Amino acid sequence: MATIQDVADKAGVSIATVSHVLNNTRFVSDETRSVVLEAIQKLNYHPSAAARSLSSRKTQTIGMVISDITNIFFGRMIQGVLDVITPQDYNLILCTTGDIVAKEEEYFQLLFGRAVDGVIAAAASQKWSTFQLVEAGQIPIVFVDRMFEGLKGPFVGVDNEKGAYEAITHLVRNGHRRIGLVAGKAGMSSMEERFDGYKRALAENGIPFDPDLVIFEALSVEGGKAAALQLLNRPDPPTAIFSNNNQLTLGVLLAFRELNRKCPDDIALACFDDHPWSIVASPALTCVRQPDYEIGRVAANLLLDMLAGEPIKTDRVILDPELIVRESCRVAGQ
């Protein structure tokens, strides 16, 4: 395998000159640059990323921490990040935690130990021992999707409260007054914000809040099904359900099938997250669409600005969701 010394010998220049050509760290004449590049091509030389990081103190690598790689919401967000960083010659190391705080700690130690240039994180907390590196400004970090007490660093997310509020208001305008909420994981900021939107919509429409219509469950298909079955088996079940994320919605639909409830004839359904299958479901689902891809793009651009030493104009970027009305929320009683 060719070395940088081999390239220098073939081009008749110093190792330092080869390094300047590779890293654009000093002016090199066009003639000399051409000779060096020709030598690199002929020798099929590939510079060591580790060696380059030692000289530049950069690894051209960004770490990303998410909770669930199987969730298309995060898949779209990852694509947004990649579409920004790839043209800038950055690589991505992806870690998925399953919302386990200990696993978060393990992955942050791994990323910081590999000396990534920066991190994008959908984190459940910031109570990791490695946080001192972030606090000292050594590792730039941008948080996405979830907020938590004591969050320090830029954040990019969606207006969860607004999205849920608009969906519940839509159900109320269609005549529903007993609206169940499959609320997801208690204590998670995005779920709690959607819960707040639910309560605000009820209050503004003069509908008393009934805690029996709100079920917090794990963010999973199984959790969604269990919550929906609990709601639908009540003596006075809701006439409509709102589910707080796409996996919960799949569970709700399974509960409908198990109990032979027809949507929207027997019960209306609206949900957070717009998936490709939402429009081909029968009926097509009314959804709150998140700008998931844009969250990734904005977070990646913000992180690249931080890495370039650019001043950060705002440390909170909250994007608007969009209510997509389809056929799953028929007027109550019709």
Side-chain angles (χ1 to χ4, degrees), residues 71-149:
N71 190 332
I72 195 171
F73 167 77
F74 287 114
R76 288 170 170 164
M77 188 188 299
I78 293 165
Q79 190 61 58
V81 171
L82 286 171
D83 285 352
V84 170
I85 69 171
T86 301
Q88 303 300 319
D89 296 324
Y90 277 92
N91 298 306
L92 185 69
I93 296 178
L94 183 64
C95 305
T96 181
T97 69
D99 279 327
I100 300 171
V101 175
K103 183 63 70 173
E104 266 185 20
E105 167 73 12
E106 179 182 332
Y107 280 135
F108 278 112
Q109 287 182 353
L110 171 68
L111 293 173
F112 295 163
R114 287 179 175 268
V116 295
D117 295 337
V119 173
I120 297 171
S125 77
Q126 200 164 327
K127 298 179 179 178
W128 355 287
S129 61
T130 43
F131 173 57
Q132 60 265 25
L133 291 174
V134 178
E135 205 166 35
Q138 296 180 36
I139 305 289
I141 186 166
V142 176
F143 293 98
V144 293
D145 187 44
R146 296 109 176 258
M147 301 184 74
F148 43 82
E149 185 178 354

Side-chain angles (χ1 to χ4, degrees), residues 292-303:
D292 35 29
Y293 176 83
E294 191 63 19
I295 291 173
R297 283 187 55 84
V298 171
N301 277 310
L302 186 55
L303 183 60

Side-chain angles (χ1 to χ4, degrees), residues 16-241:
T17 298
V18 177
S19 177
H20 294 322
V21 169
L22 290 170
N23 298 300
N24 292 314
T25 49
R26 187 175 298 175
F27 173 77
V28 178
S29 70
D30 291 342
E31 182 180 354
T32 301
R33 180 180 297 274
S34 178
V35 170
V36 170
L37 292 176
E38 184 179 352
I40 289 172
Q41 184 177 15
K42 287 182 176 179
L43 292 171
N44 195 27
Y45 171 67
H46 298 282
S48 163
R52 291 180 68 179
S53 70
L54 288 174
S55 62
S56 66
R57 297 188 178 181
K58 287 187 176 182
T59 62
Q60 289 299 118
T61 303
I62 287 172
M64 189 169 181
V65 179
I66 60 171
S67 63
D68 184 1
I69 196 171
T70 67
N71 190 332
I72 195 171
F73 167 77
F74 287 114
R76 288 170 170 164
M77 188 188 299
I78 293 165
Q79 190 61 58
V81 171
L82 286 171
D83 285 352
V84 170
I85 69 171
T86 301
Q88 303 300 319
D89 296 324
Y90 277 92
N91 298 306
L92 185 69
I93 296 178
L94 183 64
C95 305
T96 181
T97 69
D99 279 327
I100 300 171
V101 175
K103 183 63 70 173
E104 266 185 20
E105 167 73 12
E106 179 182 332
Y107 280 135
F108 278 112
Q109 287 182 353
L110 171 68
L111 293 173
F112 295 163
R114 287 179 175 268
V116 295
D117 295 337
V119 173
I120 297 171
S125 77
Q126 200 164 327
K127 298 179 179 178
W128 355 287
S129 61
T130 43
F131 173 57
Q132 60 265 25
L133 291 174
V134 178
E135 205 166 35
Q138 296 180 36
I139 305 289
I141 186 166
V142 176
F143 293 98
V144 293
D145 187 44
R146 296 109 176 258
M147 301 184 74
F148 43 82
E149 185 178 354
L151 184 147
K152 296 180 181 178
F155 172 82
V156 182
V158 68
D159 192 336
N160 291 292
E161 198 267 358
K162 177 182 179 182
Y165 169 83
E166 290 183 350
I168 301 303
T169 299
H170 174 71
L171 288 169
V172 172
R173 288 173 179 167
N174 278 270
H176 297 282
R177 295 186 65 82
R178 285 189 60 76
I179 302 171
L181 177 66
V182 178
K185 186 176 180 181
M188 182 179 291
S189 65
S190 54
M191 299 298 113
E192 294 289 347
E193 289 162 8
R194 294 169 197 178
F195 184 27
D196 290 342
Y198 168 86
K199 291 186 290 186
R200 179 162 74 93
L202 295 181
E204 289 188 6
N205 287 280
I207 301 174
F209 170 68
D210 184 351
D212 287 340
L213 292 177
V214 178
I215 309 295
F216 284 95
E217 263 287 359
L219 284 172
S220 65
V221 175
E222 296 77 15
K225 181 180 177 181
L229 288 174
Q230 189 173 339
L231 288 169
L232 294 172
N233 284 319
R234 294 194 183 285
D236 187 11
T239 64
I241 286 178

